[in-house]
Amino acid sequence: MQTPTKTLLDLRPGSGTHPSPMSESAHSLRIPGVTQHLGKARRFVEKYAREANLDEETIAHVTMAVDEACANVIKHAYNEDGRDIAIRVAIDPERFTVCIEDQGRPFQPELWSEPDIFQIAESRRRGGLGVQIMRSLMDEVKYETRGDTNQVRLTKFRSGAPDRNSEKTA
Amino acid sequence: MERHAKSYETSDDMSNFSVGFRTEAHIRILDLNGELDAHTASELEAALQKCRQDEMYRIVANGRHLKYISSAGLGVFMAYIEEMREAGGDIKIAGLQASIFNIFDLLGFPLLFDIVEDEREAIRKFDANPDENAT
């Protein structure tokens, strides 16, 4: 019998840890949407990535992707007005997922195209690489907007994860 | 005015970054220390602006003590590289730790920047081409 899949949007906001059977867990953090809190967001995600026994490279990739997602929210969704960002880490035997939620201007992934670093340098711009980094570093990047809440869901599939139907416990 | 003063704000949560300046002959060496993210990228920008003010266009960014870089930090390098090259200089990036180099590599930065093993090699390359209009 399969364990019902948790819908991350259904997890209640706020700080806390919600242990559940089958070595699943979820952890929440809310930060003010200002760049000085990016370090806190990185350390929060890094802590749980390490606890989930991800390898060092994967930990670095997840941490950076979350930093980029939060920086994009601060700059583009919120236009630097400082509203809160909710970060949730969900861990199960198959995947390590981080959801970043905001109530700002939605990102439109259909309008995004891969940046050209030569063009950026030539025009002396300094931005536009965040989404590319998230896509390169994560196995899956999904955007969703429900009501006034935008969510980007960053997923790493865990190699060597036990089969979904396995009776193995941690 | 109170700015997000919350009890969980400790110095551990903040990104620490600093840039040290050295000058060797006609070359400005920037020692990058700590975490370069969207919060601290302005420090690197200020350092490059200082180089411009001092008319020092041959720059070595020594990343030996750079622990982290996000797109905001990479963006600062991109914003200044053309200007330094047009002025007859370059920004050579030296001594990156493997994990940081991987991020540069992932984005194709070795095609745009001269990324070298260490500071000495960067200086040698500048010295070998004193009138170089880099790549």
Side-chain angles (χ1 to χ4, degrees):
Chain A
M1 200 178 75
Q2 290 191 356
T3 309
T5 309
K6 246 183 228 160
T7 306
L8 288 159
L9 276 172
D10 293 336
L11 288 174
R12 286 168 193 277
S15 291
T17 300
H18 317 278
S20 64
M22 297 287 290
S23 4
E24 291 183 18
S25 64
H27 314 274
S28 306
L29 174 75
R30 186 173 277 272
I31 57 165
V34 288
T35 55
Q36 73 194 79
H37 287 276
L38 288 171
K40 183 178 176 67
R42 291 198 300 274
R43 278 176 257 300
F44 170 76
V45 172
E46 186 181 348
K47 174 181 188 261
Y48 290 108
R50 187 153 281 125
E51 274 186 21
N53 287 322
L54 302 186
D55 63 69
E56 285 302 316
E57 188 179 43
T58 307
I59 292 169
H61 287 181
V62 172
T63 304
M64 184 176 192
V66 169
D67 181 327
E68 297 293 347
C70 290
N72 276 351
V73 169
I74 291 167
K75 192 171 177 192
H76 302 294
Y78 285 156
N79 200 17
E80 302 186 5
D81 67 9
R83 276 178 283 166
D84 280 2
I85 301 173
I87 303 167
R88 280 199 288 277
V89 172
I91 306 158
D92 69 32
E94 293 178 354
R95 56 186 81 77
F96 186 94
T97 305
V98 187
C99 292
I100 292 107
E101 285 184 4
D102 67 80
Q103 282 75 42
R105 195 157 57 95
F107 174 68
Q108 294 175 281
E110 67 279 6
L111 299 181
W112 181 85
S113 61
E114 202 167 308
D116 177 334
I117 57 168
F118 295 96
Q119 234 171 44
I120 294 174
E122 203 173 326
S123 58
R124 297 171 195 203
R125 283 184 289 132
R126 62 207 63 207
L129 291 176
V131 174
Q132 165 80 355
I133 288 173
M134 286 155 59
R135 290 167 65 114
S136 303
L137 298 180
M138 300 303 294
D139 294 328
E140 198 173 83
V141 179
K142 285 194 169 166
Y143 294 89
E144 192 175 10
T145 297
R146 279 197 205 173
D148 65 351
T149 298
N150 310 306
Q151 182 190 79
V152 57
R153 193 165 68 237
L154 309 169
T155 304
K156 274 280 190 190
F157 295 106
R158 305 175 70 173
S159 56
D163 183 79
R164 184 184 276 271
N165 296 317
S166 158
E167 291 299 313
K168 229 193 235 175
T169 52
Chain B
M1 196 177 74
E2 200 176 14
R3 279 187 65 204
H4 301 288
K6 291 197 178 167
S7 59
Y8 56 67
E9 258 190 56
T10 67
S11 60
D12 286 349
D13 291 333
M14 309 287 286
S15 309
N16 291 308
F17 178 75
S18 65
V19 184
F21 288 80
R22 285 181 288 138
T23 303
E24 190 158 320
H26 53 286
I27 298 163
R28 175 63 53 84
I29 298 158
L30 303 178
D31 290 305
L32 314 182
N33 288 281
E35 296 177 291
L36 188 44
D37 66 4
H39 189 57
T40 58
S42 56
E43 299 280 328
L44 177 62
E45 175 124 28
L48 290 169
Q49 282 170 353
K50 175 87 171 76
C51 294
R52 177 164 63 193
Q53 271 170 20
D54 297 344
E55 298 184 357
M56 297 290 284
Y57 304 112
R58 289 154 200 250
I59 296 161
V60 178
N62 189 332
R64 205 155 59 92
H65 298 294
L66 185 64
K67 300 276 185 291
Y68 176 77
I69 189 164
S70 75
S71 67
L74 297 167
V76 176
F77 285 120
M78 289 200 296
Y80 283 85
I81 187 70
E82 285 303 319
E83 179 180 336
M84 298 304 173
R85 286 178 179 169
E86 277 175 14
D90 195 12
I91 302 173
K92 297 190 191 293
I93 299 169
L96 295 176
Q97 295 173 20
S99 57
I100 307 283
F101 175 78
N102 287 344
I103 298 298
F104 278 82
D105 197 32
L106 182 83
L107 294 162
F109 270 54
L111 297 172
L112 180 61
F113 289 90
D114 195 2
I115 301 178
V116 297
E117 191 69 24
D118 56 29
E119 181 185 309
R120 300 315 318 167
E121 187 183 345
I123 292 169
R124 260 199 311 276
K125 288 179 92 167
F126 272 127
D127 286 343
N129 298 292
D131 299 316
E132 153 189 69
N133 254 330
T135 52

Short mmCIF file of all heavy atoms in Angstrom, two decimals, chain B residues 48-100:
data_model
loop_
_atom_site.label_atom_id
_atom_site.label_comp_id
_atom_site.label_asym_id
_atom_site.label_seq_id
_atom_site.Cartn_x
_atom_site.Cartn_y
_atom_site.Cartn_z
N LEU B 48 35.52 47.11 -7.16
CA LEU B 48 35.82 47.30 -8.57
C LEU B 48 35.71 48.79 -8.97
O LEU B 48 36.46 49.27 -9.81
CB LEU B 48 34.92 46.41 -9.44
CG LEU B 48 35.26 44.92 -9.33
CD1 LEU B 48 34.18 44.06 -9.99
CD2 LEU B 48 36.62 44.59 -9.95
N GLN B 49 34.78 49.47 -8.33
CA GLN B 49 34.67 50.92 -8.59
C GLN B 49 35.92 51.64 -8.11
O GLN B 49 36.40 52.58 -8.74
CB GLN B 49 33.43 51.49 -7.90
CG GLN B 49 32.16 51.20 -8.67
CD GLN B 49 30.90 51.55 -7.91
OE1 GLN B 49 30.95 51.91 -6.75
NE2 GLN B 49 29.76 51.42 -8.57
N LYS B 50 36.46 51.17 -6.99
CA LYS B 50 37.70 51.75 -6.45
C LYS B 50 38.85 51.52 -7.43
O LYS B 50 39.66 52.42 -7.67
CB LYS B 50 38.00 51.11 -5.09
CG LYS B 50 39.30 51.51 -4.45
CD LYS B 50 39.13 52.77 -3.61
CE LYS B 50 40.36 53.11 -2.76
NZ LYS B 50 41.45 53.67 -3.52
N CYS B 51 38.90 50.33 -8.02
CA CYS B 51 39.93 50.03 -9.01
C CYS B 51 39.82 51.02 -10.18
O CYS B 51 40.82 51.55 -10.67
CB CYS B 51 39.81 48.61 -9.54
SG CYS B 51 40.12 47.35 -8.30
N ARG B 52 38.58 51.24 -10.60
CA ARG B 52 38.34 52.16 -11.72
C ARG B 52 38.81 53.58 -11.35
O ARG B 52 39.51 54.23 -12.13
CB ARG B 52 36.85 52.16 -12.06
CG ARG B 52 36.49 53.13 -13.16
CD ARG B 52 35.12 52.83 -13.72
NE ARG B 52 34.08 53.00 -12.70
CZ ARG B 52 32.84 52.57 -12.84
NH1 ARG B 52 32.47 51.91 -13.91
NH2 ARG B 52 31.95 52.78 -11.91
N GLN B 53 38.43 54.02 -10.16
CA GLN B 53 38.86 55.35 -9.69
C GLN B 53 40.38 55.48 -9.68
O GLN B 53 40.93 56.51 -10.03
CB GLN B 53 38.39 55.57 -8.25
CG GLN B 53 37.02 56.16 -8.12
CD GLN B 53 36.54 56.11 -6.67
OE1 GLN B 53 37.34 55.98 -5.74
NE2 GLN B 53 35.24 56.19 -6.49
N ASP B 54 41.02 54.41 -9.25
CA ASP B 54 42.49 54.42 -9.15
C ASP B 54 43.15 54.15 -10.50
O ASP B 54 44.37 54.04 -10.59
CB ASP B 54 42.97 53.35 -8.15
CG ASP B 54 42.49 53.61 -6.74
OD1 ASP B 54 42.05 54.75 -6.48
OD2 ASP B 54 42.54 52.69 -5.90
N GLU B 55 42.31 53.98 -11.53
CA GLU B 55 42.78 53.64 -12.88
C GLU B 55 43.63 52.38 -12.89
O GLU B 55 44.65 52.28 -13.59
CB GLU B 55 43.53 54.84 -13.50
CG GLU B 55 42.60 56.04 -13.65
CD GLU B 55 43.25 57.23 -14.34
OE1 GLU B 55 44.45 57.15 -14.64
OE2 GLU B 55 42.53 58.22 -14.57
N MET B 56 43.23 51.43 -12.08
CA MET B 56 43.87 50.12 -12.05
C MET B 56 42.93 49.15 -12.77
O MET B 56 41.90 48.76 -12.21
CB MET B 56 44.07 49.65 -10.60
CG MET B 56 44.97 50.53 -9.76
SD MET B 56 46.71 50.46 -10.24
CE MET B 56 47.21 48.90 -9.58
N TYR B 57 43.29 48.82 -14.00
CA TYR B 57 42.39 47.99 -14.80
C TYR B 57 42.85 46.54 -14.89
O TYR B 57 42.17 45.71 -15.46
CB TYR B 57 42.23 48.59 -16.19
CG TYR B 57 41.74 50.02 -16.17
CD1 TYR B 57 42.56 51.08 -16.56
CD2 TYR B 57 40.44 50.31 -15.72
CE1 TYR B 57 42.11 52.39 -16.52
CE2 TYR B 57 39.99 51.62 -15.67
CZ TYR B 57 40.82 52.65 -16.07
OH TYR B 57 40.37 53.95 -16.01
N ARG B 58 44.05 46.27 -14.39
CA ARG B 58 44.55 44.88 -14.36
C ARG B 58 44.29 44.34 -12.98
O ARG B 58 44.92 44.74 -12.00
CB ARG B 58 46.05 44.85 -14.66
CG ARG B 58 46.32 45.17 -16.10
CD ARG B 58 47.68 45.75 -16.28
NE ARG B 58 47.70 46.44 -17.55
CZ ARG B 58 48.40 46.01 -18.60
NH1 ARG B 58 49.16 44.95 -18.51
NH2 ARG B 58 48.33 46.65 -19.74
N ILE B 59 43.33 43.44 -12.94
CA ILE B 59 42.81 43.02 -11.64
C ILE B 59 42.89 41.50 -11.51
O ILE B 59 42.53 40.75 -12.43
CB ILE B 59 41.34 43.48 -11.49
CG1 ILE B 59 41.30 45.02 -11.48
CG2 ILE B 59 40.70 42.92 -10.22
CD1 ILE B 59 39.95 45.58 -11.80
N VAL B 60 43.40 41.07 -10.36
CA VAL B 60 43.33 39.64 -10.03
C VAL B 60 42.36 39.50 -8.87
O VAL B 60 42.57 40.11 -7.82
CB VAL B 60 44.71 39.09 -9.61
CG1 VAL B 60 44.59 37.61 -9.24
CG2 VAL B 60 45.74 39.27 -10.73
N ALA B 61 41.29 38.73 -9.08
CA ALA B 61 40.37 38.43 -7.99
C ALA B 61 40.83 37.11 -7.39
O ALA B 61 40.69 36.06 -8.01
CB ALA B 61 38.94 38.33 -8.50
N ASN B 62 41.42 37.17 -6.20
CA ASN B 62 41.93 35.96 -5.56
C ASN B 62 40.80 35.33 -4.74
O ASN B 62 40.38 35.87 -3.71
CB ASN B 62 43.13 36.30 -4.68
CG ASN B 62 43.82 35.04 -4.18
OD1 ASN B 62 43.19 34.00 -4.03
ND2 ASN B 62 45.11 35.14 -3.92
N GLY B 63 40.33 34.18 -5.20
CA GLY B 63 39.18 33.52 -4.56
C GLY B 63 39.56 32.40 -3.61
O GLY B 63 38.72 31.56 -3.29
N ARG B 64 40.79 32.42 -3.14
CA ARG B 64 41.26 31.34 -2.27
C ARG B 64 40.39 31.21 -1.02
O ARG B 64 40.13 30.12 -0.53
CB ARG B 64 42.72 31.61 -1.86
CG ARG B 64 43.52 30.40 -1.50
CD ARG B 64 45.00 30.65 -1.72
NE ARG B 64 45.48 31.77 -0.92
CZ ARG B 64 46.00 31.65 0.31
NH1 ARG B 64 46.10 30.47 0.87
NH2 ARG B 64 46.42 32.71 0.97
N HIS B 65 39.94 32.35 -0.48
CA HIS B 65 39.14 32.32 0.75
C HIS B 65 37.67 32.63 0.48
O HIS B 65 36.94 33.03 1.38
CB HIS B 65 39.72 33.28 1.78
CG HIS B 65 41.10 32.92 2.19
ND1 HIS B 65 41.39 31.76 2.89
CD2 HIS B 65 42.28 33.53 1.97
CE1 HIS B 65 42.70 31.69 3.09
NE2 HIS B 65 43.26 32.74 2.53
N LEU B 66 37.28 32.47 -0.78
CA LEU B 66 35.87 32.67 -1.13
C LEU B 66 35.12 31.38 -0.82
O LEU B 66 35.43 30.32 -1.36
CB LEU B 66 35.74 33.03 -2.62
CG LEU B 66 34.36 33.39 -3.12
CD1 LEU B 66 33.85 34.67 -2.45
CD2 LEU B 66 34.37 33.58 -4.64
N LYS B 67 34.11 31.48 0.07
CA LYS B 67 33.41 30.27 0.52
C LYS B 67 32.14 30.00 -0.29
O LYS B 67 31.63 28.88 -0.31
CB LYS B 67 33.02 30.41 2.00
CG LYS B 67 34.18 30.63 2.95
CD LYS B 67 34.81 29.29 3.34
CE LYS B 67 35.90 29.44 4.37
NZ LYS B 67 37.11 30.11 3.84
N TYR B 68 31.61 31.06 -0.88
CA TYR B 68 30.33 30.91 -1.56
C TYR B 68 30.18 32.05 -2.56
O TYR B 68 30.62 33.17 -2.30
CB TYR B 68 29.19 30.97 -0.53
CG TYR B 68 27.81 30.93 -1.15
CD1 TYR B 68 27.27 29.73 -1.60
CD2 TYR B 68 27.06 32.09 -1.29
CE1 TYR B 68 26.01 29.69 -2.19
CE2 TYR B 68 25.80 32.05 -1.87
CZ TYR B 68 25.29 30.85 -2.31
OH TYR B 68 24.05 30.82 -2.90
N ILE B 69 29.56 31.75 -3.70
CA ILE B 69 29.22 32.83 -4.63
C ILE B 69 27.86 32.51 -5.25
O ILE B 69 27.60 31.37 -5.63
CB ILE B 69 30.31 33.05 -5.71
CG1 ILE B 69 30.03 34.31 -6.52
CG2 ILE B 69 30.46 31.82 -6.61
CD1 ILE B 69 31.22 34.80 -7.32
N SER B 70 26.99 33.51 -5.31
CA SER B 70 25.70 33.31 -5.98
C SER B 70 25.72 34.14 -7.26
O SER B 70 26.69 34.84 -7.56
CB SER B 70 24.55 33.75 -5.07
OG SER B 70 24.48 35.16 -5.02
N SER B 71 24.59 34.09 -7.98
CA SER B 71 24.55 34.80 -9.27
C SER B 71 24.76 36.30 -9.09
O SER B 71 25.25 36.98 -10.00
CB SER B 71 23.23 34.54 -9.98
OG SER B 71 22.16 35.11 -9.27
N ALA B 72 24.42 36.81 -7.90
CA ALA B 72 24.60 38.25 -7.66
C ALA B 72 26.09 38.61 -7.70
O ALA B 72 26.48 39.64 -8.24
CB ALA B 72 23.99 38.65 -6.32
N GLY B 73 26.91 37.72 -7.13
CA GLY B 73 28.36 37.94 -7.15
C GLY B 73 28.93 37.77 -8.55
O GLY B 73 29.75 38.57 -9.01
N LEU B 74 28.48 36.72 -9.23
CA LEU B 74 28.93 36.48 -10.60
C LEU B 74 28.55 37.67 -11.49
O LEU B 74 29.30 38.07 -12.38
CB LEU B 74 28.29 35.21 -11.15
CG LEU B 74 28.66 33.90 -10.43
CD1 LEU B 74 27.73 32.77 -10.84
CD2 LEU B 74 30.10 33.52 -10.70
N GLY B 75 27.36 38.23 -11.21
CA GLY B 75 26.87 39.35 -12.00
C GLY B 75 27.77 40.57 -11.91
O GLY B 75 27.92 41.31 -12.89
N VAL B 76 28.38 40.79 -10.76
CA VAL B 76 29.27 41.95 -10.62
C VAL B 76 30.49 41.78 -11.53
O VAL B 76 30.89 42.72 -12.22
CB VAL B 76 29.69 42.13 -9.14
CG1 VAL B 76 30.69 43.29 -9.03
CG2 VAL B 76 28.48 42.41 -8.26
N PHE B 77 31.05 40.58 -11.55
CA PHE B 77 32.18 40.33 -12.47
C PHE B 77 31.76 40.60 -13.91
O PHE B 77 32.49 41.21 -14.69
CB PHE B 77 32.68 38.89 -12.35
CG PHE B 77 33.47 38.61 -11.10
CD1 PHE B 77 33.06 37.67 -10.18
CD2 PHE B 77 34.66 39.30 -10.85
CE1 PHE B 77 33.80 37.41 -9.03
CE2 PHE B 77 35.41 39.05 -9.71
CZ PHE B 77 34.97 38.10 -8.79
N MET B 78 30.56 40.14 -14.26
CA MET B 78 30.09 40.32 -15.64
C MET B 78 29.90 41.79 -15.99
O MET B 78 30.14 42.21 -17.13
CB MET B 78 28.78 39.57 -15.87
CG MET B 78 28.98 38.07 -15.88
SD MET B 78 27.62 37.22 -16.69
CE MET B 78 26.29 37.62 -15.63
N ALA B 79 29.46 42.57 -14.98
CA ALA B 79 29.17 43.98 -15.25
C ALA B 79 30.44 44.80 -15.50
O ALA B 79 30.38 45.86 -16.10
CB ALA B 79 28.39 44.57 -14.07
N TYR B 80 31.58 44.31 -15.03
CA TYR B 80 32.82 45.10 -15.13
C TYR B 80 33.85 44.57 -16.12
O TYR B 80 34.80 45.27 -16.46
CB TYR B 80 33.47 45.23 -13.74
CG TYR B 80 32.76 46.25 -12.88
CD1 TYR B 80 31.64 45.89 -12.15
CD2 TYR B 80 33.18 47.57 -12.86
CE1 TYR B 80 30.96 46.83 -11.39
CE2 TYR B 80 32.51 48.52 -12.11
CZ TYR B 80 31.40 48.14 -11.38
OH TYR B 80 30.72 49.07 -10.64
N ILE B 81 33.67 43.33 -16.58
CA ILE B 81 34.74 42.72 -17.37
C ILE B 81 35.02 43.49 -18.67
O ILE B 81 36.18 43.74 -19.01
CB ILE B 81 34.45 41.20 -17.65
CG1 ILE B 81 35.63 40.53 -18.32
CG2 ILE B 81 33.17 40.98 -18.44
CD1 ILE B 81 36.84 40.37 -17.44
N GLU B 82 33.96 43.90 -19.35
CA GLU B 82 34.16 44.59 -20.64
C GLU B 82 34.87 45.92 -20.44
O GLU B 82 35.76 46.28 -21.21
CB GLU B 82 32.82 44.80 -21.35
CG GLU B 82 32.26 43.53 -21.98
CD GLU B 82 33.22 42.88 -23.00
OE1 GLU B 82 33.84 43.62 -23.78
OE2 GLU B 82 33.35 41.64 -22.98
N GLU B 83 34.47 46.64 -19.41
CA GLU B 83 35.07 47.94 -19.15
C GLU B 83 36.57 47.81 -18.88
O GLU B 83 37.38 48.58 -19.39
CB GLU B 83 34.38 48.57 -17.94
CG GLU B 83 34.97 49.91 -17.58
CD GLU B 83 34.29 50.54 -16.37
OE1 GLU B 83 33.13 50.19 -16.08
OE2 GLU B 83 34.95 51.37 -15.71
N MET B 84 36.94 46.82 -18.07
CA MET B 84 38.35 46.63 -17.74
C MET B 84 39.14 46.25 -19.00
O MET B 84 40.27 46.70 -19.20
CB MET B 84 38.51 45.55 -16.66
CG MET B 84 37.85 45.89 -15.34
SD MET B 84 38.42 47.47 -14.65
CE MET B 84 37.32 47.67 -13.24
N ARG B 85 38.54 45.42 -19.84
CA ARG B 85 39.23 45.00 -21.07
C ARG B 85 39.37 46.16 -22.05
O ARG B 85 40.41 46.31 -22.68
CB ARG B 85 38.49 43.82 -21.70
CG ARG B 85 38.74 42.54 -20.91
CD ARG B 85 38.02 41.34 -21.44
NE ARG B 85 38.34 40.17 -20.63
CZ ARG B 85 37.70 39.02 -20.70
NH1 ARG B 85 36.71 38.86 -21.55
NH2 ARG B 85 38.07 38.02 -19.92
N GLU B 86 38.32 46.96 -22.15
CA GLU B 86 38.39 48.11 -23.06
C GLU B 86 39.48 49.09 -22.63
O GLU B 86 40.08 49.78 -23.46
CB GLU B 86 37.04 48.83 -23.12
CG GLU B 86 36.09 48.16 -24.09
CD GLU B 86 34.70 48.78 -24.08
OE1 GLU B 86 34.54 49.89 -23.54
OE2 GLU B 86 33.79 48.14 -24.62
N ALA B 87 39.73 49.13 -21.33
CA ALA B 87 40.78 50.02 -20.80
C ALA B 87 42.15 49.37 -20.86
O ALA B 87 43.12 49.89 -20.30
CB ALA B 87 40.43 50.42 -19.37
N GLY B 88 42.22 48.20 -21.52
CA GLY B 88 43.52 47.54 -21.68
C GLY B 88 43.85 46.57 -20.57
O GLY B 88 44.95 46.02 -20.52
N GLY B 89 42.92 46.33 -19.68
CA GLY B 89 43.18 45.42 -18.57
C GLY B 89 42.35 44.15 -18.66
O GLY B 89 41.95 43.74 -19.75
N ASP B 90 42.12 43.55 -17.52
CA ASP B 90 41.33 42.32 -17.45
C ASP B 90 41.00 42.06 -15.98
O ASP B 90 41.63 42.62 -15.09
CB ASP B 90 42.14 41.15 -18.02
CG ASP B 90 41.28 39.92 -18.33
OD1 ASP B 90 40.04 40.04 -18.33
OD2 ASP B 90 41.86 38.85 -18.58
N ILE B 91 40.02 41.19 -15.77
CA ILE B 91 39.80 40.65 -14.42
C ILE B 91 40.13 39.17 -14.52
O ILE B 91 39.42 38.42 -15.20
CB ILE B 91 38.33 40.82 -13.95
CG1 ILE B 91 37.91 42.29 -13.97
CG2 ILE B 91 38.17 40.22 -12.56
CD1 ILE B 91 36.42 42.51 -13.67
N LYS B 92 41.24 38.77 -13.92
CA LYS B 92 41.57 37.34 -13.91
C LYS B 92 41.16 36.78 -12.56
O LYS B 92 41.38 37.42 -11.52
CB LYS B 92 43.07 37.14 -14.15
CG LYS B 92 43.51 37.65 -15.53
CD LYS B 92 44.93 37.23 -15.84
CE LYS B 92 45.48 37.95 -17.08
NZ LYS B 92 44.83 37.57 -18.34
N ILE B 93 40.55 35.62 -12.60
CA ILE B 93 40.02 35.03 -11.37
C ILE B 93 40.93 33.86 -10.98
O ILE B 93 41.18 32.97 -11.79
CB ILE B 93 38.56 34.59 -11.57
CG1 ILE B 93 37.72 35.83 -11.92
CG2 ILE B 93 38.02 33.90 -10.32
CD1 ILE B 93 36.33 35.53 -12.40
N ALA B 94 41.45 33.91 -9.75
CA ALA B 94 42.48 32.95 -9.36
C ALA B 94 42.13 32.22 -8.07
O ALA B 94 41.43 32.74 -7.20
CB ALA B 94 43.80 33.70 -9.16
N GLY B 95 42.63 30.99 -7.98
CA GLY B 95 42.64 30.27 -6.70
C GLY B 95 41.29 29.79 -6.20
O GLY B 95 41.13 29.54 -5.00
N LEU B 96 40.32 29.64 -7.09
CA LEU B 96 38.99 29.23 -6.64
C LEU B 96 39.02 27.81 -6.06
O LEU B 96 39.69 26.92 -6.60
CB LEU B 96 38.00 29.25 -7.81
CG LEU B 96 37.68 30.61 -8.42
CD1 LEU B 96 36.75 30.42 -9.63
CD2 LEU B 96 37.03 31.54 -7.40
N GLN B 97 38.28 27.61 -4.99
CA GLN B 97 38.10 26.25 -4.47
C GLN B 97 37.28 25.46 -5.50
O GLN B 97 36.49 26.03 -6.24
CB GLN B 97 37.36 26.29 -3.14
CG GLN B 97 38.17 26.99 -2.05
CD GLN B 97 37.39 27.18 -0.77
OE1 GLN B 97 36.38 26.50 -0.55
NE2 GLN B 97 37.83 28.09 0.07
N ALA B 98 37.45 24.14 -5.48
CA ALA B 98 36.82 23.30 -6.50
C ALA B 98 35.30 23.50 -6.55
O ALA B 98 34.72 23.60 -7.64
CB ALA B 98 37.15 21.83 -6.24
N SER B 99 34.67 23.58 -5.38
CA SER B 99 33.21 23.69 -5.36
C SER B 99 32.76 25.02 -5.98
O SER B 99 31.70 25.09 -6.63
CB SER B 99 32.69 23.58 -3.93
OG SER B 99 33.28 24.58 -3.13
N ILE B 100 33.55 26.06 -5.80
CA ILE B 100 33.20 27.37 -6.37
C ILE B 100 33.50 27.37 -7.87
O ILE B 100 32.71 27.87 -8.67
CB ILE B 100 34.01 28.49 -5.67
CG1 ILE B 100 33.87 28.43 -4.15
CG2 ILE B 100 33.62 29.86 -6.22
CD1 ILE B 100 32.60 28.96 -3.59
#
